[in-house]
């Protein structure tokens, strides 16, 4: 499992190294303005997609790496292709629902849920499928109480809620169809 400090550091490195169009903090905050510079929605969605694909799907990458045990050039190409496919598929899905209020509401639900799923996959080595979701919905409060730990809340708070709130705090650049033409 990726330690919380390492995952948080990875998140910050990802946001800081995403290039000139990545969300950046403004040094001199002006009255009534946002803490962040406005960004194009496509860039924000791409950063969000990379974060979900790399950080929140860490258990998937760990299992895939163990299963393929890459030792040849073609094995590494396969892993790179898998990364590209995962990022592109998720990017296209999120891009289709890129209306600001819809996407922001979805991110506020999606990131904490994905962080919780990532925690359970890392901690218990489970695979989340339809049967697992059904079991979660049928779990009583006594069984659920054993699973609710400080470590879970910290994991979901740092890797789920914090990035979701940051994503919602970043303003989008106003774009019209005329601007795109």
């Amino acid at each position: 499992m990726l330690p919380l400090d390492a995952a948080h550091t990875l998140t910050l490195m990802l946001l800081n190294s995403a290039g000139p169009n990545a969300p950046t903090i403004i040094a001199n905050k002006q009255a009534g303005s946002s803490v962040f510079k406005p960004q194009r929605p496509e860039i924000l969605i791409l950063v969000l997609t990379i974060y979900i694909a790399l950080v929140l799907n860490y258990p998937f990458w760990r299992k895939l790496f163990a299963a393929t045990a890459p030792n040849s050039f073609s094995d590494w190409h396969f892993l790179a292709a898998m990364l590209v496919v995962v990022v592109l598929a998720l990017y296209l899905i999120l891009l289709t629902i890129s209306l600001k209020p819809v996407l922001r509401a979805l991110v506020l639900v999606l990131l904490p849920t994905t962080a919780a799923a990532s925690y359970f996959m890392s901690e218990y080595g489970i695979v989340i499928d339809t049967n697992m979701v059904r079991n979660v919905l049928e779990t009583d409060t006594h069984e659920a109480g054993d699973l609710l730990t400080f470590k879970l809340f910290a994991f979901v708070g740092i890797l789920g809620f914090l990035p979701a709130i940051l994503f919602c705090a970043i303003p989008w650049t106003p774009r019209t169809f005329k601007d795109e033409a």
Side-chain angles (χ1 to χ4, degrees):
M1 182 180 82
L2 188 63
L4 291 180
D5 292 339
H8 184 67
T9 303
L10 180 62
T11 303
L12 291 176
M13 286 174 30
L14 178 65
L15 284 174
N16 291 333
S17 66
N21 292 328
T24 54
I25 297 177
I26 297 174
N28 298 327
K29 183 178 178 186
Q30 298 169 1
S33 68
S34 175
V35 176
F36 298 99
K37 288 183 189 178
Q39 299 295 322
R40 292 186 56 148
E42 307 85 39
I43 301 300
L44 291 174
I45 293 170
L46 181 61
V47 170
L48 176 69
T49 300
I50 292 170
Y51 174 76
I52 292 171
L54 291 178
V55 176
L56 295 181
N57 280 317
Y58 175 75
F60 167 75
W61 295 113
R62 187 181 63 207
K63 297 254 185 204
L64 182 65
F65 193 81
T68 58
N71 56 10
S72 69
F73 193 66
S74 62
D75 293 342
W76 287 105
H77 271 240
F78 171 74
L79 289 175
M82 283 295 295
L83 177 63
V84 169
V85 166
V86 168
V87 168
L88 283 178
L90 187 56
Y91 182 69
L92 290 175
I93 290 168
L94 291 177
L95 203 56
T96 60
I97 52 171
S98 63
L99 292 171
K100 188 187 294 188
V102 175
L103 186 63
R104 287 189 174 171
L106 179 72
V107 166
L108 284 172
V109 173
L110 178 71
L111 285 184
T113 304
T114 307
S118 179
Y119 170 80
F120 285 111
M121 288 186 293
S122 293
E123 195 68 22
Y124 301 108
I126 62 170
V127 175
I128 297 182
D129 58 1
T130 55
N131 291 329
M132 185 59 68
V133 173
R134 183 177 26 250
N135 289 339
V136 167
L137 295 176
E138 293 173 354
T139 301
D140 63 4
T141 54
H142 178 69
E143 291 174 346
D146 294 336
L147 299 173
L148 300 177
T149 63
F150 176 75
K151 191 174 178 182
L152 168 67
F153 288 116
F155 197 91
V156 172
I158 292 171
L159 296 179
F161 282 112
L162 184 61
I165 291 168
L166 286 174
F167 180 84
C168 292
I170 298 171
W172 292 11
T173 55
R175 310 274 304 168
T176 63
F177 289 115
K178 186 178 178 183
D179 294 337
E180 295 293 330

